[in-house]
Amino acid sequence: MHQNNNGQLISAPLIAQRLAVDHFTSLSIAHNCKEDGKDYSLSSWKRQLVTPALLDQYKLPYQKSWFKDTNDNETSRSWYEYIRDYLGYRLAVKDISYQVNLTNYGMAAPVLINKAELVLLNASKKAVATKEITDVAHLQSLKVLPVEWQVDKALAKKAKYLAFKFTGYGNTGNRLANNIALLRDIIIC
């Protein structure tokens, strides 16, 4: 994505906006770090800070929690981190009641997910019930997929934890954009 422009660099916010509008899932960085000993666009994005206000201004998807560290303190982020973390899909559980609402904060739909399911676990963290989610691959950027699940009362009584499991093709694992540890202590019964 190198562009000379008389020595000017590619604008991080504008490239992020293009990646989001066209739902990009990857970006090659092979030739965009240094040439002739000079930094180019990708390297400069590591030093350019991004804020929620800038992301709102460019109408880019993001989670407010992305700007917090593990202790819930405000943290600064760069455009490089934003593009790295939001390129492709970024699924998060938004809220849980009798249904789970999955939200895609990424720039593209999660088309490479092979299987997705909700799993109720007992106190020993063994599965007592599962619910396959069949339409997760169609979850576009900033859209919500509500997943309703009626669980047999006998199974619900055995359940203590809720988990979300999804794998890519080749059985590679994936993670939610929000910390699954936040969900493990939700008592179902």
Side-chain angles (χ1 to χ4, degrees):
M1 302 220 45
H2 176 268
Q3 179 177 336
N4 192 342
N5 287 347
N6 296 325
Q8 294 180 357
L9 302 172
I10 297 172
S11 164
L14 293 180
I15 196 64
Q17 194 173 42
R18 167 86 190 276
L19 294 169
V21 166
D22 292 330
H23 307 293
F24 275 64
T25 58
S26 65
L27 177 67
S28 174
I29 61 170
H31 302 291
N32 208 320
C33 288
K34 290 184 183 260
E35 290 183 22
D36 301 326
K38 298 178 185 173
D39 280 349
Y40 280 86
S41 299
L42 188 71
S43 294
S44 72
W45 298 344
K46 291 179 180 181
R47 296 183 302 275
Q48 296 175 29
L49 295 182
V50 64
T51 63
L54 280 172
L55 294 174
D56 290 339
Q57 176 185 338
Y58 286 96
K59 297 179 176 49
L60 291 167
Y62 71 97
Q63 291 169 273
K64 291 180 181 177
S65 62
W66 187 68
F67 289 97
K68 303 270 186 170
D69 65 16
T70 55
N71 296 320
D72 208 31
N73 297 314
E74 296 289 328
T75 188
S76 60
R77 297 290 193 154
S78 71
W79 278 105
Y80 174 86
E81 290 173 300
Y82 174 76
I83 292 170
R84 177 198 68 200
D85 292 351
Y86 284 87
L87 194 62
Y89 65 87
R90 186 175 171 88
L91 300 181
V93 172
K94 190 157 183 177
D95 54 60
I96 299 173
S97 57
Y98 287 104
Q99 72 179 27
V100 172
N101 291 323
L102 290 175
T103 302
N104 183 1
Y105 290 98
M107 296 178 185
V111 295
L112 297 178
I113 290 180
N114 182 37
K115 184 175 183 180
E117 58 189 0
L118 290 170
V119 183
L120 286 179
L121 305 170
N122 64 17
S124 302
K125 299 194 179 166
K126 302 283 185 201
V128 295
T130 60
K131 163 81 172 163
E132 188 170 357
I133 304 168
T134 57
D135 43 357
V136 72
H138 303 290
L139 187 54
Q140 293 295 332
S141 181
L142 293 180
K143 300 298 181 193
V144 176
L145 174 65
V147 180
E148 292 185 16
W149 188 12
Q150 295 292 334
V151 180
D152 180 82
K153 287 182 182 182
L155 293 175
K157 286 181 182 181
K158 295 178 185 178
K160 181 166 182 171
Y161 305 104
L162 173 68
F164 182 76
K165 177 181 174 187
F166 61 115
T167 57
Y169 291 93
N171 227 16
T172 56
N174 288 290
R175 294 187 61 201
L176 286 172
N178 53 341
N179 191 350
I180 196 71
L182 296 175
L183 301 178
R184 76 169 177 239
D185 296 322
I186 294 175
I187 298 174
I188 302 299
C189 50

